[in-house]
Amino acid sequence: MSPTFLLLLKHTVLLVICLVGDKLLQVVQKPPLLKAAVDNVTHALIGLVVAEIVVHQFRDQLARSELWLLIGFGFGLASWIDVDHFIEARSFHIHDATNLTHRPFLHNSVIFLVLLIATSVLVQVQDNFRLSIWTAIAFVAFFTHHLRDAIRRGLWFRAPHLNYSTAPVLYWLYLALTQLCPHAVIQLLHLQTRGSAGDQAVRYRPLEVV
């Protein structure tokens, strides 16, 4: 199997997860626990595939165990974000958690902006690639989770003197940005590997795994 075909396959899987997960969410309305599980698993699988695409590009810079940890981190964090519903509801009951009158704190999209800025700064000023890629995968988890939620509710930005929600994100734009996200992150991280490894750095080529 060629590297390009393998990457295209991953993107196809990512698209199928998005489409099937969202369709199931429309179909499955009861019981509420099943609906919440479908939604959360879809978030987690998207985080997993996007994280895998990013991490696979830098497999030569990381130990195999860390590769799996990073992929698991993307999967787990994209799912774990929804725990804020229960924290805000102060209840373990799914009805309470899914019927909040406000957006819970981990759904504040300022978080993924901060993670993106942090990754950009680390890439420029640090020699520690591992710290950069862990921060980047955290960004991936938050960004993909918030972006998918935004097709229904828009993005929410909460900071001192700021409380703003965008209009819902167009569905095709959500799909496109989800597909582009790993490659934008790869390009950003590649600045550090190229700068630290010189001519020995892995050269990134879109739609090709090296």
Side-chain angles (χ1 to χ4, degrees):
M1 184 181 296
S2 71
T4 300
F5 179 79
L6 179 60
L7 185 56
L8 288 172
L9 181 60
K10 291 175 185 178
H11 278 285
T12 301
V13 170
L14 179 59
L15 180 62
V16 169
I17 290 169
C18 292
L19 294 174
V20 172
D22 295 335
K23 186 62 177 180
L24 282 175
L25 199 60
Q26 295 174 5
V27 173
V28 178
Q29 296 296 319
K30 293 181 180 180
L33 182 60
L34 179 58
K35 181 180 179 180
V38 168
D39 186 46
N40 189 260
V41 169
T42 303
H43 279 306
L45 291 176
I46 292 171
L48 182 149
V49 176
V50 175
E52 198 282 335
I53 293 172
V54 173
V55 170
H56 187 81
Q57 179 67 30
F58 300 99
R59 64 192 184 279
D60 293 335
Q61 281 88 359
L62 300 164
R64 181 175 293 274
S65 60
E66 191 166 16
L67 294 178
W68 287 109
L69 284 173
L70 282 162
I71 295 169
F73 179 58
F75 173 83
L77 184 58
S79 170
W80 178 82
I81 290 168
D82 277 334
V83 75
D84 63 353
H85 284 274
F86 296 94
I87 295 172
E88 291 278 1
R90 298 181 180 179
S91 170
F92 290 108
H93 294 290
I94 191 67
H95 176 80
D96 297 332
T98 56
N99 286 276
L100 297 172
T101 58
H102 58 280
R103 303 279 285 273
F105 64 97
L106 288 179
H107 287 72
N108 180 356
S109 293
V110 169
I111 295 173
F112 76 67
L113 291 179
V114 170
L115 288 168
L116 179 59
I117 292 169
T119 303
S120 301
V121 170
L122 288 169
V123 163
Q124 295 297 326
V125 304
Q126 292 283 341
D127 292 329
N128 189 341
F129 175 70
R130 285 180 174 82
L131 182 57
S132 299
I133 196 169
W134 279 91
T135 307
I137 297 302
F139 161 76
V140 161
F142 273 94
F143 178 73
T144 58
H145 189 115
H146 288 199
L147 183 63
R148 181 165 173 267
D149 281 351
I151 62 178
R152 298 184 296 274
R153 307 182 187 93
L155 295 169
W156 173 53
F157 298 92
R158 183 75 171 91
H161 310 296
L162 175 67
N163 188 2
Y164 175 72
S165 293
T166 70
V169 172
L170 296 173
Y171 194 74
W172 67 265
L173 183 59
Y174 145 68
L175 294 176
L177 290 176
T178 300
Q179 297 285 346
L180 290 172
C181 174
H183 298 287
V185 172
I186 288 168
Q187 291 282 28
L188 179 59
L189 291 171
H190 180 61
L191 295 175
Q192 187 170 20
T193 59
R194 181 172 56 192
S196 61
D199 293 336
Q200 301 302 314
V202 173
R203 299 293 177 178
Y204 170 68
R205 293 179 288 275
L207 293 182
E208 182 172 348
V209 181
V210 294

